[in-house]
Amino acid sequence: MIKGLAITTVWVLDQDRAKEFYTQKLGLEVRTDMTMGDGGMRWLTVGAPDQPDVELTLMVPGPPAMDPESAEMMRKLIAKGALGAGVLATDDIHGDYKKLKERGVEFLQEPQERPYGTEALFRDDSGNWFSFTQRRAGGLDLERDWA
């Protein structure tokens, strides 16, 4: 049976730039950086130091995952900023927001209260956007407006 999420893909435009962004700006660690097979695809994964069982694969659109036409469409969507890559969790949204901003992370929204916690939005170096969220103690507040 399924035990949980182990690896998920974040499509990026340049793996070297993405590696630098995710490690130096976001503070994630490189888990794997290798070429699969002779002249094959680069397998680059990163993850949060406190969550060793979950990895983000930083993949450039193209073979073997997709044909050239699909890869070009994906690159355009990434560059346009149309793709949301997920939610990254923190236990200090205000302090970590300040640190990431000082490291040059582009925020689309400063921390705001939501029914599920406090959330800021940022983009990675390719254009993908992430929710950066500190969950609300006690769970979802159904009385709070979804502003």
Side-chain angles (χ1 to χ4, degrees), residues 40-98:
M41 146 185 113
R42 182 178 181 187
W43 183 252
L44 173 60
T45 69
V46 296
D50 292 339
Q51 196 176 24
D53 56 340
V54 177
E55 298 176 68
L56 302 176
T57 303
L58 305 176
M59 295 286 293
V60 174
M66 60 185 71
D67 61 80
E69 181 183 352
S70 298
E72 181 59 28
M73 289 190 304
M74 181 65 83
R75 282 191 290 276
K76 287 179 181 178
L77 288 171
I78 295 165
K80 185 178 182 178
L83 301 178
V87 178
L88 297 177
T90 179
D91 58 3
D92 180 12
I93 186 73
H94 296 287
D96 290 340
Y97 167 81
K98 182 179 177 190

Side-chain angles (χ1 to χ4, degrees), residues 72-147:
E72 181 59 28
M73 289 190 304
M74 181 65 83
R75 282 191 290 276
K76 287 179 181 178
L77 288 171
I78 295 165
K80 185 178 182 178
L83 301 178
V87 178
L88 297 177
T90 179
D91 58 3
D92 180 12
I93 186 73
H94 296 287
D96 290 340
Y97 167 81
K98 182 179 177 190
K99 284 180 204 168
L100 294 180
K101 199 163 172 77
E102 288 170 354
R103 292 179 188 168
V105 174
E106 175 195 353
F107 277 87
L108 305 172
Q109 171 195 290
E110 62 186 41
Q112 295 183 12
E113 295 300 317
R114 302 283 188 235
Y116 45 84
T118 308
E119 174 188 56
L121 299 176
F122 72 85
R123 287 198 194 284
D124 71 6
D125 67 305
S126 291
N128 298 299
W129 61 269
F130 284 86
S131 167
F132 186 50
T133 301
Q134 180 175 344
R135 288 191 177 180
R136 182 182 173 282
L140 186 62
D141 179 358
L142 297 175
E143 301 300 316
R144 182 176 284 281
D145 288 334
W146 289 84

